[in-house]
Amino acid sequence: MMIQAYQTIGIIGGGQLGQMLTIAAKSMGFYVIILDPTPNCCASQVADGHIVAAYADEEALGRLAQQSDVITYEFENIPAQAIEQLSKQAYLPQGAKPLALTQHRLQEKQALQTLGIPVAPFIGVQTQEQLLEAVAQLGYPAILKTCRGGYDGKGQVVLRSEADIVEAAKLLPNDCVLEAFVYFDYEASIIVTRSVHGEMTTFPIAQNIHRNQTLACSIVPSQCSKEVEQTIQAFAQTFMQTHNLVGTMAIECFVSGENVYVNELAPRPHNSGHYTIEGCCVSQFEQHIRAICGWPLAATTLRQPTVMLNLYGEDIGRVHQLIPTLPNNAYVHCYQKGEAKQGRKMGHITFIETTQMNAQKSAEIVYNKLGYSDSSIGGNEK
Ligand code: ADP
Ligand code: MG
């Protein structure tokens, strides 16, 4: 099936990813309706319609189905069952499978392992006793993560010694997973897109720098060797192909020498792929729309070296003041999120340059102006 201009795309979830998907879809001639519980959510600022309702509200999902020619989601924590149900009455080419595979960290890791894709050693944990046993097996440092609902480092506790057990135990009795700490050289991610026709593309690998377990910056091209690049591409393609997935998947990895461990998956466009808007011949958002609408996928070629800086609540006010002084290779994005809370992703800046080093320098100058003098972009705190 092919969805064309003047037809309607329904998007479940109206955050910044929904907003950027909508902008891409609008420029291709589609109408867009968002379903999101928050009035004035980011995507509703640019979409044609907004159904204000909970993600699992069956009546509201039914209305979305009636008004849409194709439905997608920008968020993994929608009850998979609601999506399963919806796919019976609407055209939802991704189905619920990408959600089922990624909603639960333990099951996600098991799905990766089954395909022979390496992950950090892990143990499922539900009780304090199991936590102590798991720590005894994996040793310190380790990270306890909730299996469901975590993002931007939320729902995680790093255990460096026995003193951290009490804090970690607060995550229980939710399903959790204890992971061995990986002493990686750097973090990298890939965005893979597979269309309803089985056509598949990967975007250039991004090298990611996290601060406080949240993404600070993505640099493209990454420092990956050809071998590491091929390994990551093969993991992405194997996962999509084996599970016959449609849509977009982001794969976060730890790289240590030539070894790659997959950290986590996201069944949607991803923060580390925002650089594609200016950096590549097609953005991750347009590519996703193409994939679900049955269009041919576009070439994902990197136009020029690119650095993306995230702007958090504490940065965004200063960025608006900095605009007159920004270099002419800086592209500012603001998600119109309302209140600029500390740690909330409010926007990003992309720097395009002729060399990666120059793009990095421009980004570093802006970082310094924002007050991050302690951490240069090239370095990694872990
Ligand atoms: P989130 O869902 O919040 O993105 P992640 O599992 O991706 O959760 O963890 C966030 C960040 O924390 C990672 O990008 C990485 O920097 C760090 N981290 C997570 N797990 C590990 C690990 N096992 N070893 C080392 N660092 C880790
Ligand atoms: Mg992550």
Side-chain angles (χ1 to χ4, degrees):
M1 180 146 38
M2 186 172 140
I3 309 293
Q4 310 230 24
Y6 302 105
Q7 288 189 287
T8 299
I9 301 175
I11 303 178
I12 304 171
Q16 66 267 25
L17 300 174
Q19 186 187 61
M20 289 183 269
L21 279 169
T22 303
I23 291 168
K26 293 298 298 174
S27 74
M28 296 161 81
F30 298 104
Y31 294 107
V32 178
I33 300 178
I34 301 296
L35 187 149
D36 189 283
T38 310
N40 290 318
C41 63
C42 304
S44 73
Q45 324 268 342
V46 289
D48 299 287
H50 178 196
I51 298 172
V52 182
Y55 305 120
D57 180 332
E58 279 178 29
E59 182 275 326
L61 287 168
R63 264 189 290 151
L64 184 69
Q66 258 175 7
Q67 295 175 42
S68 305
D69 297 291
V70 60
I71 294 181
T72 185
Y73 39 78
E74 57 95 79
F75 178 59
E76 57 266 50
N77 294 321
I78 309 160
Q81 214 155 1
I83 296 297
E84 193 79 65
Q85 197 58 34
L86 183 63
S87 61
K88 290 180 191 147
Q89 47 169 321
Y91 179 49
L92 215 157
Q94 291 165 273
K97 200 165 181 196
L99 298 179
L101 284 164
T102 60
Q103 266 176 354
H104 192 277
R105 275 190 202 276
L106 191 58
Q107 289 164 15
E108 178 180 291
K109 287 178 193 300
Q110 286 161 345
L112 289 162
Q113 258 188 342
T114 305
L115 297 181
I117 298 174
V119 295
F122 65 93
I123 299 174
V125 167
Q126 282 171 319
T127 65
Q128 177 130 3
E129 202 179 5
Q130 288 172 345
L131 175 60
L132 293 173
E133 268 172 41
V135 167
Q137 274 194 47
L138 297 180
Y140 295 104
I143 306 189
L144 190 69
K145 302 179 180 180
T146 55
C147 285
R148 293 183 186 277
Y151 69 100
D152 288 350
K154 294 182 178 64
Q156 299 193 9
V157 175
V158 179
L159 292 120
R160 295 183 199 282
S161 72
E162 228 180 282
D164 297 319
I165 293 275
V166 174
E167 191 56 33
K170 290 181 186 163
L171 298 179
L172 304 171
N174 296 311
D175 276 5
C176 284
V177 58
L178 187 75
E179 262 179 59
F181 203 86
V182 178
Y183 290 94
F184 50 76
D185 299 330
Y186 58 94
E187 293 186 74
S189 61
I190 194 166
I191 313 280
V192 56
T193 319
R194 189 162 177 273
S195 81
V196 295
H197 305 300
E199 191 189 353
M200 190 149 51
T201 61
T202 55
F203 281 96
I205 291 168
Q207 184 168 334
N208 300 320
I209 294 166
H210 290 79
R211 231 177 253 132
N212 307 321
Q213 286 149 291
T214 57
L215 184 65
C217 163
S218 296
I219 301 170
V220 193
S222 70
Q223 68 180 76
C224 292
S225 66
K226 202 83 209 143
E227 287 72 29
V228 167
E229 188 180 314
Q230 282 167 358
T231 302
I232 295 176
Q233 283 168 347
F235 289 168
Q237 287 161 350
T238 303
F239 197 83
M240 295 303 276
Q241 204 114 44
T242 313
H243 293 291
N244 199 19
L245 301 183
V246 168
T248 300
M249 188 74 78
I251 305 185
E252 297 178 15
C253 304
F254 301 136
V255 184
S256 174
E258 297 297 295
N259 296 317
V260 178
Y261 303 90
V262 170
N263 171 33
E264 66 167 350
L265 307 174
R268 51 168 173 77
H270 190 261
N271 192 171
S272 68
H274 292 355
Y275 83 89
T276 60
I277 296 175
E278 289 90 4
C280 293
C281 293
V282 66
S283 76
Q284 62 169 345
F285 303 102
E286 175 172 335
Q287 195 80 320
H288 179 74
I289 299 293
R290 284 172 175 252
I292 58 162
C293 290
W295 289 31
L297 298 183
T300 56
T301 318
L302 186 70
R303 291 182 201 266
Q304 277 173 280
T306 301
V307 172
M308 189 250 11
L309 299 187
N310 264 346
L311 302 174
Y312 288 92
E314 58 273 29
D315 310 319
I316 195 84
R318 264 172 296 162
V319 167
H320 292 314
Q321 288 166 5
L322 284 182
I323 283 179
T325 71
L326 288 177
N328 66 1
N329 60 335
Y331 299 88
V332 178
H333 295 250
C334 175
Y335 311 142
Q336 298 183 295
K337 259 192 186 173
E339 202 191 336
K341 286 186 214 149
Q342 163 96 19
R344 190 178 197 194
K345 284 178 187 164
M346 300 299 289
H348 69 268
I349 310 186
T350 304
F351 298 85
I352 301 287
E353 258 294 356
T354 45
T355 67
Q356 194 227 51
M357 195 48 86
N358 285 345
Q360 216 159 310
K361 271 188 204 143
S362 304
E364 245 160 79
I365 289 168
V366 171
Y367 248 164
N368 288 337
K369 286 186 187 171
L370 286 172
Y372 294 107
S373 49
D374 53 325
S375 43
S376 92
I377 285 172
N380 204 328
E381 59 173 345
K382 286 208 174 101

